[in-house]
Amino acid sequence: MEIIHDIASIKQAIKKARQAGHTIGLVPTMGYLHEGHLSLLRQARADNQLVILSIFVNPLQFGVGEDYEEYPRDLTGDAAQAEKTGCHIIFAPTVKEMYPQGYNTFVDVEKLTDGLCGASRPGHFRGVTTVVAKLFNIVTPDRAYFGQKDAQQALVIQKMARDLNMDLDVIIMPIIREDDGQAMSSRNAYLSHEERKAAPILNHTLIQAASQIQTGERDATTIRAQIFQAISAEPLAAIDYISIVDATDLTDVIKIKGPTLIALAVRFGKTRLIDNIIVEV
Ligand code: AMP
């Protein structure tokens, strides 16, 4: 496995793979890999002849006062884990390589980014779509892999690819969880022992809400109030948002019908965690 830091060299490697007739799978990440990331890499390896893992903590998607500086980084550890999945190349550019002085072009997907994390993290998705569009242009993947863990991000990237006629498949993979139900996340590393013990309440509450819907409850306000109450009962949890939305266009749902996304963001101390579930009715 090779680690490449500059755009000219990765383009060269891509050109060689194309000449050999190889298909290319891209897994964009911010690194500090866990099983969630590795599941994307394994799928990419199964579907493509060349697998590229990008690792880039993208300053553009962090707001003022967010955790850009503290975000965990471990390229050596990541490389060891990625190699075991059969990944061929890690592309780990510097900030200067991606955004040289005078950089001025941004990609913005409207509407889908208005609510949920878009509302509580202004500018976040503009940063995400800009960097992912750049990665797509640099790597020209046949397929790119994203996790359902970031449900809104997954829809936003799919929409960007469609709207801008990008010639690739955007593949969404299921959420990988710890044994206690907590969604795997690089940010779990920030949690204190007590916060980590309390965090699975998010998954448990989402499962409870889904089962209430499955057994006939259709009123989103009632479901939301119950989730709110359950999470508020945990003294270490501070709710950022709880949203019940149409799973395809993220518009608010009043009466639940069709595929519905229940998504939430909750702070445990200084750590903001997100989780979600899709309920098919
Ligand atoms: P990140 O490094 O957090 O930006 O995540 C990189 C990719 O991995 C994104 O597409 C995430 O949705 C995905 N991902 C993160 N956590 C998980 C998880 N627990 N299960 C599945 N995919 C995940």
Side-chain angles (χ1 to χ4, degrees):
M1 194 185 63
E2 230 185 316
I3 303 182
I4 294 178
H5 296 283
D6 68 288
I7 294 169
S9 304
I10 187 96
K11 283 191 166 177
Q12 200 54 41
I14 302 285
K15 200 167 155 190
K16 253 175 60 189
R18 286 287 178 218
Q19 278 163 355
H22 292 165
T23 57
I24 299 170
L26 171 68
V27 179
T29 76
M30 299 202 297
Y32 211 67
L33 300 187
H34 51 65
E35 272 301 316
H37 300 117
L38 300 180
S39 72
L40 308 187
L41 284 169
R42 289 190 197 104
Q43 188 63 48
R45 186 68 186 85
D47 297 344
N48 305 280
Q49 283 137 338
L50 183 76
V51 174
I52 299 181
L53 163 68
S54 67
I55 297 182
F56 181 60
V57 184
N58 174 31
L60 212 58
Q61 71 190 67
F62 288 78
V64 177
E66 290 189 350
D67 56 342
Y68 173 69
E69 301 292 343
E70 298 90 327
Y71 198 85
R73 293 155 167 94
D74 177 16
L75 185 56
T76 312
D78 288 350
Q81 294 199 69
E83 186 153 29
K84 286 192 210 143
T85 69
C87 172
H88 301 97
I89 297 176
I90 294 182
F91 176 51
T94 60
V95 172
K96 241 173 98 186
E97 185 74 1
M98 291 297 271
Y99 305 118
Q101 191 159 22
Y103 185 88
N104 265 329
T105 303
F106 304 91
V107 178
D108 216 341
V109 172
E110 297 185 354
K111 296 254 189 318
L112 273 180
T113 57
D114 286 349
L116 293 86
C117 288
S120 49
R121 302 184 69 188
H124 168 67
F125 285 114
R126 178 178 187 258
V128 170
T129 43
T130 298
V131 80
V132 171
K134 283 176 68 76
L135 290 168
F136 285 179
N137 281 335
I138 294 164
V139 173
T140 65
D142 299 278
R143 302 178 189 86
Y145 298 81
F146 293 85
Q148 177 60 26
K149 158 88 188 331
D150 299 86
Q152 185 175 20
Q153 168 175 281
L155 288 177
V156 167
I157 301 287
Q158 280 184 325
K159 181 81 172 114
M160 172 185 79
R162 251 194 334 271
D163 283 356
L164 294 181
N165 310 99
M166 292 171 163
D167 201 8
L168 81 164
D169 287 334
V170 175
I171 295 165
I172 313 302
M173 299 292 294
I175 303 177
I176 305 296
R177 298 181 178 279
E178 305 282 0
D179 289 343
D180 62 4
Q182 170 63 3
M184 290 199 182
S185 165
S186 309
R187 289 190 168 100
N188 286 345
Y190 297 146
L191 298 171
S192 71
H193 181 66
E194 284 69 32
E195 288 164 349
R196 177 62 190 81
K197 257 174 48 192
I201 191 168
L202 305 184
N203 176 238
H204 297 162
T205 310
L206 288 168
I207 290 172
Q208 235 164 38
S211 94
Q212 267 183 298
I213 296 169
Q214 302 294 11
T215 53
E217 180 60 65
R218 289 290 179 272
D219 184 51
T221 312
T222 305
I223 298 284
R224 193 182 173 284
Q226 281 167 2
I227 299 172
F228 191 91
Q229 202 178 18
I231 296 177
S232 302
E234 168 51 59
L236 295 177
I239 295 166
D240 178 348
Y241 71 78
I242 298 164
S243 292
I244 302 182
V245 293
D246 181 297
T248 52
D249 64 13
L250 302 184
T251 53
D252 279 330
V253 163
I254 298 165
K255 281 277 169 252
I256 295 166
K257 53 175 161 44
T260 302
L261 172 73
I262 311 178
L264 44 76
V266 175
R267 282 179 203 285
F268 290 80
K270 62 175 177 48
T271 308
R272 182 177 176 279
L273 298 178
I274 57 171
D275 204 346
N276 69 82
I277 197 164
I278 291 186
V279 192
E280 309 273 352
V281 289

mmCIF file of all heavy atoms in Angstrom, residues 186-209:
data_model
loop_
_atom_site.group_PDB
_atom_site.id
_atom_site.type_symbol
_atom_site.label_atom_id
_atom_site.label_comp_id
_atom_site.label_asym_id
_atom_site.label_seq_id
_atom_site.Cartn_x
_atom_site.Cartn_y
_atom_site.Cartn_z
ATOM 1 N N SER A 186 -15.119 8.393 15.247
ATOM 2 C CA SER A 186 -13.803 8.848 15.711
ATOM 3 C C SER A 186 -13.972 9.729 16.948
ATOM 4 O O SER A 186 -13.097 9.787 17.810
ATOM 5 C CB SER A 186 -13.090 9.624 14.612
ATOM 6 O OG SER A 186 -13.098 8.881 13.410
ATOM 7 N N ARG A 187 -15.103 10.434 17.036
ATOM 8 C CA ARG A 187 -15.326 11.361 18.159
ATOM 9 C C ARG A 187 -15.652 10.637 19.464
ATOM 10 O O ARG A 187 -15.631 11.267 20.524
ATOM 11 C CB ARG A 187 -16.438 12.358 17.807
ATOM 12 C CG ARG A 187 -16.005 13.369 16.752
ATOM 13 C CD ARG A 187 -17.020 14.497 16.594
ATOM 14 N NE ARG A 187 -16.488 15.598 15.811
ATOM 15 C CZ ARG A 187 -16.745 15.796 14.511
ATOM 16 N NH1 ARG A 187 -17.511 14.957 13.846
ATOM 17 N NH2 ARG A 187 -16.216 16.829 13.884
ATOM 18 N N ASN A 188 -15.957 9.327 19.415
ATOM 19 C CA ASN A 188 -16.177 8.600 20.672
ATOM 20 C C ASN A 188 -14.925 8.684 21.551
ATOM 21 O O ASN A 188 -15.010 8.559 22.767
ATOM 22 C CB ASN A 188 -16.510 7.123 20.408
ATOM 23 C CG ASN A 188 -17.921 6.945 19.863
ATOM 24 O OD1 ASN A 188 -18.751 7.851 19.940
ATOM 25 N ND2 ASN A 188 -18.193 5.775 19.300
ATOM 26 N N ALA A 189 -13.757 8.874 20.909
ATOM 27 C CA ALA A 189 -12.493 8.951 21.651
ATOM 28 C C ALA A 189 -12.467 10.142 22.616
ATOM 29 O O ALA A 189 -11.698 10.156 23.572
ATOM 30 C CB ALA A 189 -11.326 9.062 20.671
ATOM 31 N N TYR A 190 -13.305 11.160 22.363
ATOM 32 C CA TYR A 190 -13.334 12.328 23.253
ATOM 33 C C TYR A 190 -14.076 12.054 24.561
ATOM 34 O O TYR A 190 -13.956 12.813 25.518
ATOM 35 C CB TYR A 190 -14.113 13.489 22.617
ATOM 36 C CG TYR A 190 -13.579 14.075 21.340
ATOM 37 C CD1 TYR A 190 -14.474 14.549 20.384
ATOM 38 C CD2 TYR A 190 -12.227 14.216 21.105
ATOM 39 C CE1 TYR A 190 -14.040 15.131 19.211
ATOM 40 C CE2 TYR A 190 -11.777 14.802 19.930
ATOM 41 C CZ TYR A 190 -12.686 15.258 18.997
ATOM 42 O OH TYR A 190 -12.263 15.843 17.844
ATOM 43 N N LEU A 191 -14.932 11.015 24.568
ATOM 44 C CA LEU A 191 -15.874 10.839 25.691
ATOM 45 C C LEU A 191 -15.159 10.366 26.950
ATOM 46 O O LEU A 191 -14.261 9.518 26.888
ATOM 47 C CB LEU A 191 -16.953 9.817 25.308
ATOM 48 C CG LEU A 191 -17.847 10.176 24.117
ATOM 49 C CD1 LEU A 191 -18.711 8.972 23.713
ATOM 50 C CD2 LEU A 191 -18.739 11.378 24.457
ATOM 51 N N SER A 192 -15.582 10.893 28.098
ATOM 52 C CA SER A 192 -15.094 10.367 29.381
ATOM 53 C C SER A 192 -15.737 8.996 29.581
ATOM 54 O O SER A 192 -16.680 8.626 28.873
ATOM 55 C CB SER A 192 -15.511 11.296 30.524
ATOM 56 O OG SER A 192 -16.917 11.191 30.727
ATOM 57 N N HIS A 193 -15.239 8.264 30.574
ATOM 58 C CA HIS A 193 -15.783 6.940 30.854
ATOM 59 C C HIS A 193 -17.295 7.022 31.114
ATOM 60 O O HIS A 193 -18.077 6.226 30.569
ATOM 61 C CB HIS A 193 -15.061 6.347 32.068
ATOM 62 C CG HIS A 193 -15.526 4.985 32.432
ATOM 63 N ND1 HIS A 193 -15.334 3.884 31.608
ATOM 64 C CD2 HIS A 193 -16.220 4.525 33.511
ATOM 65 C CE1 HIS A 193 -15.877 2.824 32.174
ATOM 66 N NE2 HIS A 193 -16.421 3.183 33.322
ATOM 67 N N GLU A 194 -17.715 8.013 31.891
ATOM 68 C CA GLU A 194 -19.144 8.142 32.236
ATOM 69 C C GLU A 194 -19.961 8.513 30.996
ATOM 70 O O GLU A 194 -21.056 7.994 30.776
ATOM 71 C CB GLU A 194 -19.360 9.228 33.309
ATOM 72 C CG GLU A 194 -18.964 8.820 34.716
ATOM 73 C CD GLU A 194 -17.459 8.655 34.871
ATOM 74 O OE1 GLU A 194 -16.696 9.390 34.167
ATOM 75 O OE2 GLU A 194 -17.038 7.779 35.648
ATOM 76 N N GLU A 195 -19.409 9.427 30.200
ATOM 77 C CA GLU A 195 -20.138 9.850 28.988
ATOM 78 C C GLU A 195 -20.279 8.670 28.025
ATOM 79 O O GLU A 195 -21.340 8.467 27.426
ATOM 80 C CB GLU A 195 -19.393 11.003 28.302
ATOM 81 C CG GLU A 195 -19.491 12.312 29.072
ATOM 82 C CD GLU A 195 -18.459 13.347 28.626
ATOM 83 O OE1 GLU A 195 -17.522 13.007 27.853
ATOM 84 O OE2 GLU A 195 -18.584 14.497 29.072
ATOM 85 N N ARG A 196 -19.204 7.904 27.891
ATOM 86 C CA ARG A 196 -19.244 6.753 26.972
ATOM 87 C C ARG A 196 -20.282 5.726 27.426
ATOM 88 O O ARG A 196 -20.957 5.092 26.612
ATOM 89 C CB ARG A 196 -17.843 6.125 26.872
ATOM 90 C CG ARG A 196 -17.753 4.887 26.002
ATOM 91 C CD ARG A 196 -18.122 5.183 24.555
ATOM 92 N NE ARG A 196 -18.270 3.952 23.776
ATOM 93 C CZ ARG A 196 -19.354 3.187 23.779
ATOM 94 N NH1 ARG A 196 -20.424 3.534 24.499
ATOM 95 N NH2 ARG A 196 -19.398 2.100 23.054
ATOM 96 N N LYS A 197 -20.397 5.567 28.769
ATOM 97 C CA LYS A 197 -21.382 4.621 29.306
ATOM 98 C C LYS A 197 -22.806 5.102 29.044
ATOM 99 O O LYS A 197 -23.727 4.301 28.854
ATOM 100 C CB LYS A 197 -21.182 4.454 30.823
ATOM 101 C CG LYS A 197 -20.480 3.147 31.139
ATOM 102 C CD LYS A 197 -20.101 2.948 32.581
ATOM 103 C CE LYS A 197 -21.173 3.241 33.609
ATOM 104 N NZ LYS A 197 -20.597 3.284 34.980
ATOM 105 N N ALA A 198 -22.990 6.427 29.023
ATOM 106 C CA ALA A 198 -24.331 6.996 28.847
ATOM 107 C C ALA A 198 -24.738 7.077 27.372
ATOM 108 O O ALA A 198 -25.934 7.074 27.040
ATOM 109 C CB ALA A 198 -24.379 8.391 29.465
ATOM 110 N N ALA A 199 -23.753 7.121 26.470
ATOM 111 C CA ALA A 199 -24.021 7.427 25.048
ATOM 112 C C ALA A 199 -24.986 6.453 24.336
ATOM 113 O O ALA A 199 -25.767 6.892 23.481
ATOM 114 C CB ALA A 199 -22.701 7.527 24.282
ATOM 115 N N PRO A 200 -24.980 5.142 24.660
ATOM 116 C CA PRO A 200 -25.880 4.236 23.936
ATOM 117 C C PRO A 200 -27.364 4.548 24.116
ATOM 118 O O PRO A 200 -28.200 3.979 23.413
ATOM 119 C CB PRO A 200 -25.552 2.848 24.534
ATOM 120 C CG PRO A 200 -24.170 2.977 25.066
ATOM 121 C CD PRO A 200 -24.051 4.393 25.538
ATOM 122 N N ILE A 201 -27.687 5.473 25.012
ATOM 123 C CA ILE A 201 -29.082 5.888 25.147
ATOM 124 C C ILE A 201 -29.616 6.394 23.796
ATOM 125 O O ILE A 201 -30.813 6.264 23.511
ATOM 126 C CB ILE A 201 -29.258 6.976 26.243
ATOM 127 C CG1 ILE A 201 -30.747 7.156 26.504
ATOM 128 C CG2 ILE A 201 -28.604 8.283 25.857
ATOM 129 C CD1 ILE A 201 -31.094 7.945 27.708
ATOM 130 N N LEU A 202 -28.736 6.933 22.967
ATOM 131 C CA LEU A 202 -29.183 7.452 21.662
ATOM 132 C C LEU A 202 -29.724 6.308 20.812
ATOM 133 O O LEU A 202 -30.846 6.357 20.310
ATOM 134 C CB LEU A 202 -28.023 8.154 20.928
ATOM 135 C CG LEU A 202 -27.321 9.280 21.689
ATOM 136 C CD1 LEU A 202 -26.284 9.938 20.796
ATOM 137 C CD2 LEU A 202 -28.331 10.300 22.199
ATOM 138 N N ASN A 203 -28.928 5.264 20.666
ATOM 139 C CA ASN A 203 -29.348 4.109 19.882
ATOM 140 C C ASN A 203 -30.574 3.440 20.496
ATOM 141 O O ASN A 203 -31.535 3.096 19.790
ATOM 142 C CB ASN A 203 -28.178 3.118 19.780
ATOM 143 C CG ASN A 203 -28.555 1.841 19.052
ATOM 144 O OD1 ASN A 203 -28.440 0.747 19.574
ATOM 145 N ND2 ASN A 203 -29.051 1.986 17.837
ATOM 146 N N HIS A 204 -30.584 3.290 21.820
ATOM 147 C CA HIS A 204 -31.706 2.602 22.468
ATOM 148 C C HIS A 204 -33.001 3.377 22.255
ATOM 149 O O HIS A 204 -34.047 2.798 21.963
ATOM 150 C CB HIS A 204 -31.427 2.410 23.963
ATOM 151 C CG HIS A 204 -30.239 1.529 24.203
ATOM 152 N ND1 HIS A 204 -29.551 1.479 25.389
ATOM 153 C CD2 HIS A 204 -29.589 0.667 23.379
ATOM 154 C CE1 HIS A 204 -28.548 0.629 25.289
ATOM 155 N NE2 HIS A 204 -28.545 0.132 24.072
ATOM 156 N N THR A 205 -32.927 4.696 22.373
ATOM 157 C CA THR A 205 -34.127 5.516 22.210
ATOM 158 C C THR A 205 -34.621 5.469 20.762
ATOM 159 O O THR A 205 -35.829 5.415 20.515
ATOM 160 C CB THR A 205 -33.816 6.977 22.623
ATOM 161 O OG1 THR A 205 -33.183 6.945 23.885
ATOM 162 C CG2 THR A 205 -35.067 7.796 22.730
ATOM 163 N N LEU A 206 -33.690 5.462 19.814
ATOM 164 C CA LEU A 206 -34.077 5.386 18.397
ATOM 165 C C LEU A 206 -34.758 4.038 18.099
ATOM 166 O O LEU A 206 -35.759 3.987 17.368
ATOM 167 C CB LEU A 206 -32.847 5.559 17.492
ATOM 168 C CG LEU A 206 -32.273 6.979 17.422
ATOM 169 C CD1 LEU A 206 -30.897 6.982 16.742
ATOM 170 C CD2 LEU A 206 -33.234 7.922 16.694
ATOM 171 N N ILE A 207 -34.238 2.972 18.673
ATOM 172 C CA ILE A 207 -34.841 1.648 18.452
ATOM 173 C C ILE A 207 -36.248 1.605 19.044
ATOM 174 O O ILE A 207 -37.186 1.090 18.425
ATOM 175 C CB ILE A 207 -33.954 0.529 19.067
ATOM 176 C CG1 ILE A 207 -32.664 0.384 18.249
ATOM 177 C CG2 ILE A 207 -34.702 -0.801 19.136
ATOM 178 C CD1 ILE A 207 -31.640 -0.554 18.859
ATOM 179 N N GLN A 208 -36.375 2.200 20.239
ATOM 180 C CA GLN A 208 -37.695 2.243 20.890
ATOM 181 C C GLN A 208 -38.692 3.015 20.034
ATOM 182 O O GLN A 208 -39.834 2.588 19.839
ATOM 183 C CB GLN A 208 -37.550 2.979 22.210
ATOM 184 C CG GLN A 208 -38.039 2.192 23.413
ATOM 185 C CD GLN A 208 -37.501 2.830 24.686
ATOM 186 O OE1 GLN A 208 -37.418 4.061 24.771
ATOM 187 N NE2 GLN A 208 -37.123 2.004 25.636
ATOM 188 N N ALA A 209 -38.243 4.159 19.505
ATOM 189 C CA ALA A 209 -39.127 4.985 18.671
ATOM 190 C C ALA A 209 -39.539 4.207 17.428
ATOM 191 O O ALA A 209 -40.714 4.208 17.034
ATOM 192 C CB ALA A 209 -38.405 6.276 18.283
#
